[in-house]
Amino acid sequence: MGERTIPELLPGTLYMLILRTLSGGPLHGYAIAKRVKETSHQGLVIEDGSLYPALNRMLVKGWLEAEWGISENHRKARFYRLTPEGRKQLDHEAEEFDRLVRAIQLVMRTA
Amino acid sequence: MAKHERYQNRIELLQGTLDMLILQTLSWGAQHGYGIGQAIRAGSGDVLQVETGSLYPALHRLEKQGWIKSEWRNSEHNQRAKYYQLTAAGKKQLTSEYSRWSRMSAAIAGLMNPGESEGQA
Amino acid sequence: MSLWKETLRRLAYLGRRSRFDADLDTEVEFHIETRADELARAGMPRPTALAQARREFGSPARMAEETRSAWQFRWLEDLAADLHYAARAFRRNPAFAATAIACLALGIGANTTIFSIAAEVLFSQPSVRDPYSLVRVDIGGNSASPVREYEFLRDAHTFPGLAGENEEMETNWRDSDNTYRLSVVRVTDNFFDVTGIPVALGRPIQPGDSDRVVLTYGFWQRRLGGAPDVIGRKLLLDGRIDTVSAVLPRDHRTVTGFGFSPDLYAPVTDPKTYVTLYARLEPGTTRLAALSRLKPACQELDRAYPDGNHKWANNLHVSAVSGIERIDTEHELMRPVAGFFAVLMVVVGLVLLIACANVASLLLARASSRSHELAVRLSIGAGRGRIVRQLLAESLLLSACGTGAGLAINIGLTTLLSRIQLPLPIPIQFLIQPDWRLLAYAAAVALVCSLAASLAPAVKGTGVGISAMLKHGEHQLGRHVWTLRNVLVVGQLAASIVLLCAGFLFLRNLVNASAMSPGFDIEHTVWAYMRLVPESYRDPAKTRGLVDAAVERLRSLPGVETAAIARVVPLNNNMRRGTEVSTDLNSHGLHVEFHINYVGPGYFQAMQIPIVTGREFLPADRKGAPRVAILNQNLARRVFGAVDPARHFVRFGQGETILVAGVAKNSKYFSLGEENALAYYEPYDQSPGPVADLHFLVRATGRPEPLIPGINTSLGQLDPTASLEIKPMSKALVFAMLPSRVGAAILGSMGMLGLLLASVGLYGVLLYSVSRRIREIGLRVALGATPAGILRLVLRQSAVLSAAGIGIGMALAVFAVRPLARFLSPEVRPADLMNFVVVGAVLAAVALAATLSPAVRALRVDPVEALRHE
């Protein structure tokens, strides 16, 4: 079922998902959004309007670096890649998110 | 101490999640606000500590939407307290919230650990 | 750490803002194009795909804004927005802004000006190389030592460099037919080497030079017309031909400090000159270390020259030459000067506070009239902190403008001051230049003002309950008297009372000083200062001959009653001695300190100082004749008690016996404010010579001014190489009156300024109060109140505020003015009741004037209009 109607992702998780997506290698903005959408089987959609502000915030925080390159369709594009701080942040966020989800599951499964 | 605060922030942002947890708690029986907070904490193994600042507005919101209702009763220590309980609409909402949440967290988990998911598109 | 890196990244963004926008555009375009490609591959026609992709993307403008804000310093952007808003608000309400800025400008202008002067007088650095390794060396408890002793220490290499200078010297400069007396600093030939004083033109005096001089910029401009060919020019100084080898820069500051500004520097020519020693220390040497090196060197000195009556190794001092450190040292002048400036800083601080209170009051008034707007903003979620920040931004803008205007006032005043030549016997010129210290101080002051003025209104403005503000219920029905604004006004009035009391004291001091009699005649006396070329008058007999001839010539001039010679002119220069005195009646020595003068026959008559008992000096009291002396009444009473000292004898230490010829009436010797001074006179002929400075005192039968040209010619003919300065005695006293004039002028004007600012505050509060009560007044008039009754309403508020201000102010003033006593002459007592009465009356009068306009406004209220007024 097309879950395009799912609203914006939660702000904290958005960083985490972008970081995870980039852990496999540098991507440009469009590719990041696409990868997230595909890997989650349309479960998660990053609204275009939130993508670039989030990417820039991550640049300011030093989790990502950016540089210009040529995309697969031969156009000039800006590629983002994880920094060592970014990797650390990813691990940290993932760990915390795991804890959170498990805790919620605990409550939800108790009957 | 800081870690727990982070979770609290998360729950505030995850507005829907807090609603869901409250509805779940109330599905075990009527409870007053303090008791709901305690139940969530205990049920999550002390991980989720809900601030009253977020709990009571959420209860207010849920009541306004008709998913819970309240009445004044005497508590177990014989004090007057406002007790909340699930309505029929609330039960339905709980189910749909949970399924939505499950899908979302599955999707996220899938993205975070691609090896565990059913395979890439 | 990460915050630091983040800040750096944000700073980097500031530098590439324009490129950032372009880059973002490119990135967004790429995104849309790529999406369009996908759609097109799925079969959609390209233009439709593109349109669809754009739609999906959403509003690029908002996204761009949000993206940019990720990089911005949030607080900086907020501040810029706040300031912009504030500027717009002020443009809409120029009267408010103008008043606030004017008050601040006056307060900050006065404050920074006093700071500039204090910084220059107390903290300035001499123009030397590395002032922190240059020190002044005093040996034997003296501030100067003879050249012989200096050379010994220099050759002993106690320090890497030791030089000497004497700044109290003068020289006669003969330029064609005119002879001018110049102020010269005589220096040892290594002085410029050791101190590293920079020159603007030419090269300075170097070791080995004996006839080269260095001119100051002022002398070069004023006396030589700034001639470009000045280097190499020959000047005839004290009969010697010297060559100009350099000109100093315009901003040259001497090692002596205090704005002392001589005409030129020249080498020491007379080996009997006393020089003040300056030493250059190795880098890192402390003054204490230098002191410990000095002691053995001076002990060597004492052993080398056992003849002198000095023990040079005692009482050694090493003191700093630069700025702040100088205050610590026992520079005689420093303490009272520093004290005076401290008082001034407190005074201008108070003035500034009064000004800030005005601004705060204005902001408060504005806040309450904006209360509706603020309430709406609060209710739609603007945090209280945000609104406080906005109010702070407004007050910051006002302060910045006020500071700018204040600095303009400062620069105007200090430039004026730098041009003034003070009427002092030593040439002093202040060199006040605006520098980073002034800017830093002004910035700090602006910040403090901004906080002070805005805090109260900001807190109050956002503290009142929202519903109350929305109801716009600011009806002051006379019950809520002690609003914050009223408290501010009372504070202002109290502060200005304190200032007025101080100012009034100094005014009384000035009046007192003007009325004070110096004890000698100034109406009919002319003072002729003739300076001879010392080298031409080595023989004391020659000098005496000249003096006798001069006095005779002067006496023969028409309109001259009598003339006399004196070594010292009271209130202009001074000689003192402290010693043991014994008499023929009491051989037990008594320690006394007295002023001493050597005067010729006719002096007391010329100065109209009565001889109480005994006689004046006579021509017979010459060199070789028995020694005689005249005591003043105080000294006579101290040494001889009730006995008439005439014809008795005194003796100093183991010296000769001296006959007391007579007793002179007490007069003033050093300052107008002195009391109970002891003075001692000996005949000029019997004075130890030789002396090149001759002071002639001429008594005119009528007015003194017409005599001056005659005196000039007469004395000039005797020796054309001598310089002459002739003026009526009344002009000479200007120097003596200077401190009281300066004190009165500054403190008096500050008092007035404070009063003006406070009265503006009072006026503002009363006017505002009337405008707020228009409805009430209209009601009262409609119900039959008389004009007198309305007037009473306004007057009562004014009276309450003024009375409170005066009361609190007086109570504070009683304590605050006590420390001022040491700057005032003894007759002016700070605790005098009259002071307070006068000041209170002045303030009451001004307060009444400030009440007039609001009162008239209240009387003009038309009841019909008023009842419609909301």
Side-chain angles (χ1 to χ4, degrees):
Chain A
M1 211 148 14
E3 291 288 355
R4 285 294 201 88
T5 53
I6 289 183
E8 276 184 45
L9 286 185
L10 328 146
T13 2
L14 182 57
Y15 291 151
M16 187 181 73
L17 295 175
I18 295 177
L19 287 169
R20 184 68 181 90
T21 310
L22 288 173
S23 69
L27 294 171
H28 53 69
Y30 185 83
I32 294 173
K34 188 161 170 218
R35 181 74 62 88
V36 167
K37 198 161 64 173
E38 289 173 348
T39 319
S40 67
H41 304 296
Q42 313 280 11
L44 304 163
V45 171
I46 304 179
E47 270 205 13
D48 293 339
S50 339
L51 176 64
Y52 290 98
L55 285 171
N56 275 271
R57 278 195 289 271
M58 295 164 86
L59 281 173
V60 172
K61 289 202 208 283
W63 299 336
L64 304 179
E65 270 167 0
E67 68 181 356
W68 288 94
I70 306 290
S71 72
E72 57 283 357
N73 52 355
H74 311 295
R75 286 205 181 86
K76 187 168 156 201
R78 204 161 181 226
F79 286 80
Y80 296 85
R81 113 177 127 255
L82 275 191
T83 62
E85 284 93 49
R87 276 190 201 281
K88 269 202 284 242
Q89 183 69 18
L90 171 58
D91 292 337
H92 181 65
E93 296 257 353
E95 192 185 308
E96 291 208 346
F97 191 78
D98 264 350
R99 274 192 77 179
L100 184 66
V101 167
R102 264 180 280 141
I104 296 177
Q105 284 291 52
L106 214 55
V107 177
M108 298 313 291
R109 294 238 173 92
T110 322
Chain B
M1 183 80 77
K3 275 233 174 104
H4 290 297
E5 277 171 18
R6 286 216 59 194
Y7 294 143
Q8 272 155 213
N9 280 341
R10 285 284 179 82
I11 288 182
E12 275 187 57
L13 299 170
L14 303 166
Q15 222 185 49
T17 315
L18 179 59
D19 290 354
M20 182 180 76
L21 291 170
I22 292 174
L23 293 175
Q24 171 76 351
T25 309
L26 290 177
S27 73
W28 309 327
Q31 195 42 275
H32 50 64
Y34 181 73
I36 295 173
Q38 291 290 85
I40 294 178
R41 187 156 71 133
S44 69
D46 250 1
V47 169
L48 305 173
Q49 296 184 333
V50 187
E51 240 187 30
T52 48
S54 9
L55 179 64
Y56 287 94
L59 288 170
H60 184 90
R61 192 174 51 237
L62 291 170
E63 189 170 5
K64 204 162 65 170
Q65 286 175 304
W67 295 332
I68 62 177
K69 62 177 191 253
S70 65
E71 72 178 2
W72 284 95
R73 287 196 216 163
N74 277 337
S75 73
E76 49 277 8
H77 303 292
N78 240 332
Q79 289 164 311
R80 278 190 69 70
K82 207 174 189 196
Y83 275 74
Y84 297 88
Q85 62 183 138
L86 215 50
T87 61
K91 255 201 204 111
K92 273 205 277 248
Q93 180 67 12
L94 173 58
T95 319
S96 81
E97 287 263 9
Y98 185 46
S99 76
R100 190 168 74 111
W101 185 86
S102 304
R103 268 199 310 273
M104 229 190 335
S105 53
I108 296 178
L111 205 140
M112 295 305 288
N113 309 293
E116 291 169 22
S117 70
E118 290 91 328
Q120 329 267 317
Chain C
M1 175 60 151
S2 61
L3 185 65
W4 170 240
K5 285 212 204 128
E6 200 177 304
T7 310
L8 285 176
R9 279 191 280 264
R10 285 183 201 253
L11 281 171
Y13 157 78
L14 281 175
R16 353 186 202 89
R17 250 191 308 203
S18 52
R19 244 209 7 235
F20 178 87
D21 285 339
D23 283 351
L24 189 61
D25 277 346
T26 313
E27 210 176 348
V28 167
E29 265 314 299
F30 168 79
H31 187 114
I32 292 176
E33 298 259 343
T34 313
R35 175 72 184 138
D37 285 350
E38 255 179 26
L39 290 171
R41 268 202 299 274
M44 210 183 271
R46 179 91 196 160
T48 328
L50 206 53
Q52 164 103 344
R54 274 197 215 287
R55 246 197 334 266
E56 281 174 7
F57 195 85
S59 156
R62 236 198 106 240
M63 191 217 64
E65 173 69 44
E66 223 185 301
T67 309
R68 259 197 299 266
S69 76
W71 289 91
Q72 288 159 345
F73 287 106
R74 198 69 258 167
W75 60 269
L76 202 60
E77 302 293 320
D78 283 347
L79 184 64
D82 285 340
L83 285 174
H84 195 73
Y85 181 86
R88 274 210 324 269
F90 293 152
R91 248 198 302 264
R92 264 184 276 129
N93 199 345
F96 158 80
T99 314
I101 292 177
C103 286
L104 282 173
L106 286 172
I108 295 181
N111 200 305
T112 51
T113 305
I114 298 294
F115 172 80
S116 290
I117 301 177
E120 175 59 29
V121 172
L122 299 177
F123 303 135
S124 64
Q125 304 262 37
S127 311
V128 299
R129 179 188 71 233
D130 188 14
Y132 296 102
S133 66
L134 188 69
V135 291
R136 195 180 107 169
V137 174
D138 295 339
I139 59 179
N142 265 24
S143 59
S145 336
V147 168
R148 180 185 72 171
E149 275 73 349
Y150 148 76
E151 280 172 352
F152 182 92
L153 286 175
R154 178 196 64 192
D155 297 336
H157 295 291
T158 322
F159 303 106
L162 184 71
E165 60 88 50
N166 185 329
E167 74 274 2
E168 296 171 1
M169 308 209 69
E170 290 166 328
T171 188
N172 285 355
W173 170 41
R174 190 145 175 84
D175 181 32
S176 47
D177 279 333
N178 297 315
T179 309
Y180 304 102
R181 191 177 80 247
L182 303 179
S183 156
V184 61
V185 180
R186 295 250 175 223
V187 299
T188 56
D189 60 4
N190 63 349
F191 181 76
F192 283 88
D193 251 10
V194 168
T195 56
I197 293 176
V199 298
L201 295 174
R203 66 155 186 81
I205 299 172
Q206 278 166 2
D209 288 343
S210 63
D211 63 349
R212 300 205 178 264
V213 294
V214 173
L215 309 180
T216 56
Y217 182 86
F219 178 81
W220 174 45
Q221 291 291 312
R222 276 192 313 266
R223 302 297 198 97
L224 299 180
D229 62 343
V230 64
I231 305 293
R233 182 142 156 192
K234 308 258 183 250
L235 298 176
L236 188 56
L237 300 170
D238 273 354
R240 290 166 47 117
I241 298 183
D242 288 323
T243 318
V244 177
S245 83
V247 176
L248 291 167
R250 192 174 193 164
D251 60 356
H252 170 76
R253 289 190 174 90
T254 60
V255 289
T256 318
F258 293 109
F260 172 61
S261 115
D263 290 311
L264 68 160
Y265 287 74
V268 168
T269 49
D270 181 357
K272 288 205 286 303
T273 314
Y274 272 59
V275 288
T276 307
L277 302 173
Y278 288 89
R280 174 69 67 184
L281 305 176
E282 295 95 343
T285 315
T286 62
R287 293 207 290 281
L288 220 53
L291 198 58
S292 58
R293 291 222 299 254
L294 195 57
K295 183 112 181 156
C298 288
Q299 282 163 344
E300 275 291 313
L301 177 61
D302 282 337
R303 274 194 288 274
Y305 297 120
D307 55 340
N309 48 4
H310 272 289
K311 279 280 162 280
W312 297 108
N314 299 338
N315 272 321
L316 303 173
H317 290 288
V318 172
S319 45
V321 298
S322 66
I324 303 186
E325 301 178 68
R326 252 196 337 199
I327 301 193
D328 254 345
T329 68
E330 357 168 327
H331 209 306
E332 213 179 69
L333 206 53
M334 266 299 190
R335 292 280 162 73
V337 169
F340 184 64
F341 274 110
V343 168
L344 278 185
M345 287 307 286
V346 168
V347 163
V348 290
L350 270 179
V351 170
L352 191 58
L353 271 179
I354 297 179
C356 286
N358 265 347
V359 179
S361 191
L362 283 165
L363 285 173
L364 270 172
R366 208 158 146 269
S368 67
S369 70
R370 289 171 66 200
S371 60
H372 193 83
E373 174 212 332
L374 286 177
V376 171
R377 288 179 72 187
L378 276 174
S379 69
I380 63 174
R384 188 166 153 188
R386 184 87 184 77
I387 296 193
V388 169
R389 279 215 316 270
Q390 153 109 64
L391 290 169
L392 273 168
E394 287 181 10
S395 118
L396 195 66
L397 188 60
L398 284 174
S399 292
C401 295
T403 306
L407 276 176
I409 294 181
N410 167 309
I411 292 180
L413 284 176
T414 55
T415 314
L416 208 66
L417 193 64
S418 296
R419 299 248 166 90
I420 297 180
Q421 284 234 283
L422 294 166
L424 297 166
I426 33 175
I428 288 197
Q429 182 123 40
F430 289 121
L431 198 70
I432 305 178
Q433 290 161 326
D435 63 3
W436 66 268
R437 280 181 307 197
L438 173 65
L439 282 172
Y441 180 74
V445 165
L447 209 59
V448 167
C449 285
S450 159
L451 285 173
S454 70
L455 224 45
V459 168
K460 178 165 194 289
T462 58
V464 180
I466 296 180
S467 54
M469 277 204 262
L470 282 172
K471 266 188 288 178
H472 204 39
E474 276 276 358
H475 303 301
Q476 270 183 314
L477 290 171
R479 238 170 296 162
H480 198 189
V481 179
W482 294 116
T483 62
L484 194 53
R485 284 193 79 192
N486 288 344
V487 169
L488 276 174
V489 168
V490 168
Q492 287 178 299
L493 292 170
S496 56
I497 288 269
V498 174
L499 290 175
L500 281 172
C501 282
F504 187 68
L505 271 175
F506 276 82
L507 272 168
R508 276 191 68 185
N509 192 44
L510 178 63
V511 168
N512 192 280
S514 313
M516 246 193 290
S517 168
F520 52 86
D521 177 67
I522 51 177
E523 297 297 309
H524 303 272
T525 322
V526 176
W527 169 26
Y529 175 7
M530 181 177 189
R531 182 184 177 274
L532 308 170
V533 173
E535 282 78 5
S536 315
Y537 289 86
R538 295 253 183 253
D539 177 10
K542 184 176 177 194
T543 318
R544 261 189 309 226
L546 179 81
V547 169
D548 289 342
V551 170
E552 203 183 299
R553 277 192 176 214
L554 291 171
R555 285 191 183 157
S556 66
L557 284 177
V560 169
E561 192 178 301
T562 186
I565 180 80
R567 184 77 174 268
V568 162
V569 176
L571 300 180
N572 280 279
N573 40 21
N574 188 254
M575 278 171 67
R576 301 173 71 118
R577 199 197 286 181
T579 183
E580 299 270 310
V581 64
S582 55
T583 73
D584 53 340
L585 298 176
N586 179 6
S587 57
H588 186 70
L590 183 68
H591 184 83
V592 286
E593 281 186 25
F594 47 80
H595 301 278
I596 180 167
N597 200 354
Y598 298 92
V599 301
Y603 170 81
F604 293 94
Q605 193 195 345
M607 297 288 267
Q608 291 284 291
I609 300 175
I611 298 287
V612 172
T613 87
R615 63 168 179 84
E616 254 238 54
F617 291 136
L618 302 168
D621 297 315
R622 305 195 63 81
K623 193 158 193 76
R627 288 185 65 182
V628 290
I630 294 178
L631 317 178
N632 80 341
Q633 289 170 303
N634 290 333
L635 184 59
R637 188 170 30 243
R638 174 77 88 83
V639 176
F640 284 95
V643 176
D644 178 1
R647 280 193 285 282
H648 285 280
F649 291 86
V650 291
R651 194 170 177 211
F652 297 111
Q654 300 302 312
E656 311 173 41
T657 55
I658 303 169
L659 175 70
V660 178
V663 172
K665 193 157 175 79
N666 289 331
S667 57
K668 304 287 182 183
Y669 310 99
F670 177 63
S671 77
L672 283 172
E674 71 192 10
E675 281 188 335
N676 305 319
L678 309 176
Y680 175 83
Y681 302 86
E682 281 197 6
Y684 190 82
D685 259 12
Q686 294 181 349
S687 67
V691 179
D693 297 340
L694 307 176
H695 300 284
F696 294 101
L697 295 153
V698 181
R699 178 171 172 76
T701 48
R703 295 221 50 77
E705 288 84 357
L707 295 183
I708 293 178
I711 296 175
N712 198 358
T713 322
S714 216
L715 293 176
Q717 281 167 355
L718 277 178
D719 183 351
T721 66
S723 63
L724 288 169
E725 190 186 324
I726 307 172
K727 52 184 164 203
M729 192 58 109
S730 50
K731 280 237 174 64
L733 276 207
V734 169
F735 165 55
M737 298 285 291
L738 198 65
S740 16
R741 288 226 175 100
V742 166
I746 298 185
L747 274 99
S749 54
M750 286 300 120
M752 285 287 119
L753 185 60
L755 181 61
L756 175 70
L757 290 170
S759 56
V760 166
L762 179 65
Y763 169 82
V765 156
L766 291 173
L767 195 63
Y768 176 80
S769 158
V770 166
S771 74
R772 280 261 154 256
R773 296 166 77 172
I774 287 201
R775 209 154 180 268
E776 176 199 347
I777 294 175
L779 256 167
R780 287 178 187 245
V781 171
L783 291 175
T786 60
I790 301 298
L791 210 59
R792 238 203 315 268
L793 218 57
V794 178
L795 281 175
R796 195 175 59 200
Q797 183 180 16
S798 165
V800 166
L801 292 175
S802 306
I806 293 180
I808 297 179
M810 293 288 186
L812 287 172
V814 168
F815 295 107
V817 298
R818 268 207 218 132
L820 294 176
R822 66 165 156 149
F823 299 110
L824 309 166
S825 57
E827 286 94 35
V828 181
R829 273 179 298 277
D832 203 356
L833 191 63
M834 225 258 283
N835 299 340
F836 297 109
V837 168
V838 170
V839 167
V842 167
L843 193 114
V846 172
L848 199 63
T851 314
L852 272 175
S853 175
V856 166
R857 177 85 186 80
L859 286 172
R860 287 233 199 94
V861 169
D862 173 21
V864 178
E865 267 300 318
L867 288 171
R868 255 185 286 156
H869 185 108
E870 149 272 312

